[in-house]
Amino acid sequence: MKNLYTFWKKYWIYIVAFAIPWFVVFAMAIINHGWPFYDATMIGGDTSSQLVPYAFELWDRVHTGDSLRYTWNLGGGCDMGVVLGDYISPFTILLLLSKRSFIVNMLQIIMILKWACAGVSMVYFFY
């Protein structure tokens, strides 16, 4: 218990900076009847027309062993290097480890994780 107290006392500001985006997203989800409590999604606009199909294509290619060079399945043909530019992140592993039916939800979780990590890094740089 003492170790937990010393950990909290030393890193409390980072924990709070990580938690704030989660609380904001969950509050907005409750207010707007959105994800994860209802069937609505917070992915919209450009994200739903680019990021989601790219995620499905990347997942399919990695799990079937296809080439990551070029695909005809996205936008009439696309260099997968362009797609991979959006997914150069350690969080992409979470996407690839999830089931195909859970990709949209995993993208939402990854978005919130990135916001939370951005908050922690800003606290690190300004603190």
Side-chain angles (χ1 to χ4, degrees), residues 44-95:
D46 204 26
T47 307
S48 65
S49 63
Q50 288 183 356
L51 196 62
V52 174
Y54 289 172
F56 278 107
E57 183 68 20
L58 180 63
W59 193 94
D60 289 340
R61 290 197 170 256
V62 168
H63 285 273
T64 60
D66 288 343
S67 172
L68 293 176
R69 292 189 180 255
Y70 196 84
T71 180
W72 289 102
N73 298 331
L74 297 172
C78 178
D79 182 14
M80 284 297 287
V82 174
V83 173
L84 294 176
D86 292 334
Y87 291 101
I88 297 178
S89 167
F91 298 115
T92 303
I93 295 169
L94 296 173
L95 179 74

Side-chain angles (χ1 to χ4, degrees), residues 4-127:
L4 184 62
Y5 175 74
T6 56
F7 180 81
W8 175 259
K9 187 176 177 184
K10 187 174 181 180
Y11 297 111
W12 71 271
I13 190 125
Y14 299 108
I15 296 169
V16 169
F18 189 82
I20 287 174
W22 290 96
F23 289 130
V24 168
V25 167
F26 284 126
M28 292 303 295
I30 290 170
I31 292 168
N32 295 327
H33 300 287
W35 177 87
F37 304 109
Y38 301 96
D39 289 337
T41 179
M42 65 181 200
I43 293 180
D46 204 26
T47 307
S48 65
S49 63
Q50 288 183 356
L51 196 62
V52 174
Y54 289 172
F56 278 107
E57 183 68 20
L58 180 63
W59 193 94
D60 289 340
R61 290 197 170 256
V62 168
H63 285 273
T64 60
D66 288 343
S67 172
L68 293 176
R69 292 189 180 255
Y70 196 84
T71 180
W72 289 102
N73 298 331
L74 297 172
C78 178
D79 182 14
M80 284 297 287
V82 174
V83 173
L84 294 176
D86 292 334
Y87 291 101
I88 297 178
S89 167
F91 298 115
T92 303
I93 295 169
L94 296 173
L95 179 74
L96 295 175
L97 291 176
S98 67
K99 294 193 308 189
R100 191 175 195 279
S101 61
F102 196 69
I103 286 178
V104 175
N105 289 331
M106 186 56 72
L107 283 173
Q108 295 176 105
I109 292 169
I110 289 171
M111 286 170 52
I112 302 168
L113 275 172
K114 287 181 180 182
W115 298 337
C117 289
V120 170
S121 63
M122 293 311 295
V123 166
Y124 176 77
F125 286 120
F126 290 132
Y127 194 64

